Amino acid sequence: MEFFNPHLYDLANPELWVAIGLIIFFVIAAIAGVPKLVAGVLDAKAAKIQAELDEAARLRAEAEALLAQIRAEKAEAEAQAAEMLKAAEADARRMEEEAKAKLEETLTRRQALAERRIAQAEAQAAAEVKAAAADLAAKAAEQILTARVAGQKSDPLLDAAIAQLGTRLN
C-alpha cells in the first residue's frame, strides 16, 4: 500500500472519508477526555481487584490462624484425654488394690471367726466329754460303793456323800 498514491487522496474515494472520520473520532474522543475516563475505569477496576486480593489474603491469614488454633486445641484435648486415661488407669489400679486388701481382710476375719467357732465347738465338746466322763465315773463309783456298803451296814453319812458326789463332779 502506498501512502502517496494520488487515487488514495481523491475526495471521491470512500476509504479517504473513513480515514478522515476515524481521525476526527479520535480527536473528539481525546478532547472529551475519553482516555482519562477509560484510564479511570481501568484504575478503579484494578483497585477493586487489588482490594479483593487483599481481602482474600486477609481471609487466608485468618483461616491459617484459625487452623493453627484448632490444631493447638486438638493437641491440648488429646493431652487432656491422655491425662484422663492415665488417671483412670491409676484409679482402677488403686481400686483393685483396695478391693484386694478388703477381700484379704474379710477372708482373714472370716477365717479368725471360723477358728474361734471351731475352738468354741472343741471346748464345748471337751466339756461335754468331761461331763459325760464325770457322770459315768460318778455312776460307777456309786455302784461300787453301793455294792461295798450293801455288804456292810448302811451309814447315813456315807449315803449323803455318795449322793453329793454326782453333783460335785459335774
Side-chain angles (χ1 to χ4, degrees):
M1 216 181 330
E2 251 177 70
F3 287 106
F4 297 108
N5 186 354
H7 176 66
L8 181 66
Y9 297 106
D10 186 14
L11 292 177
N13 185 3
E15 293 173 357
L16 175 69
W17 289 107
V18 168
I20 291 173
L22 186 62
I23 291 172
I24 292 173
F25 173 75
F26 282 131
V27 169
I28 292 173
I31 292 173
V34 170
K36 288 182 184 177
L37 183 64
V38 169
V41 168
L42 290 176
D43 287 343
K45 193 153 204 109
K48 182 180 177 186
I49 291 171
Q50 185 62 43
E52 288 176 357
L53 287 174
D54 292 343
E55 178 68 14
R58 185 187 63 78
L59 289 174
R60 180 177 180 182
E62 285 180 10
E64 288 174 351
L66 185 60
L67 179 62
Q69 179 184 357
I70 289 172
R71 286 183 177 159
E73 289 175 357
K74 178 185 174 193
E76 182 180 338
E78 287 175 350
Q80 285 179 352
E83 288 178 20
M84 291 172 67
L85 182 61
K86 286 180 185 177
E89 289 173 350
D91 285 345
R93 276 188 242 109
R94 182 183 48 80
M95 290 171 64
E96 180 182 8
E97 291 171 4
E98 287 176 1
K100 283 182 182 178
K102 285 182 182 179
L103 179 62
E104 288 177 11
E105 181 183 324
T106 302
L107 289 176
T108 304
R109 276 191 310 215
R110 287 186 180 176
Q111 184 179 2
L113 179 63
E115 289 173 357
R116 280 195 307 266
R117 286 184 180 170
I118 289 170
Q120 287 175 351
E122 286 176 352
Q124 185 178 357
E128 289 176 0
V129 167
K130 285 181 185 179
D135 284 343
L136 188 60
K139 287 181 184 177
E142 186 179 347
Q143 288 175 357
I144 292 171
L145 287 175
T146 305
R148 282 188 189 171
V149 171
Q152 299 179 357
K153 212 169 151 196
S154 126
D155 184 11
L157 289 175
L158 187 60
D159 290 337
I162 290 173
Q164 288 179 1
L165 183 65
T167 58
R168 287 188 182 178
L169 289 177
N170 286 335

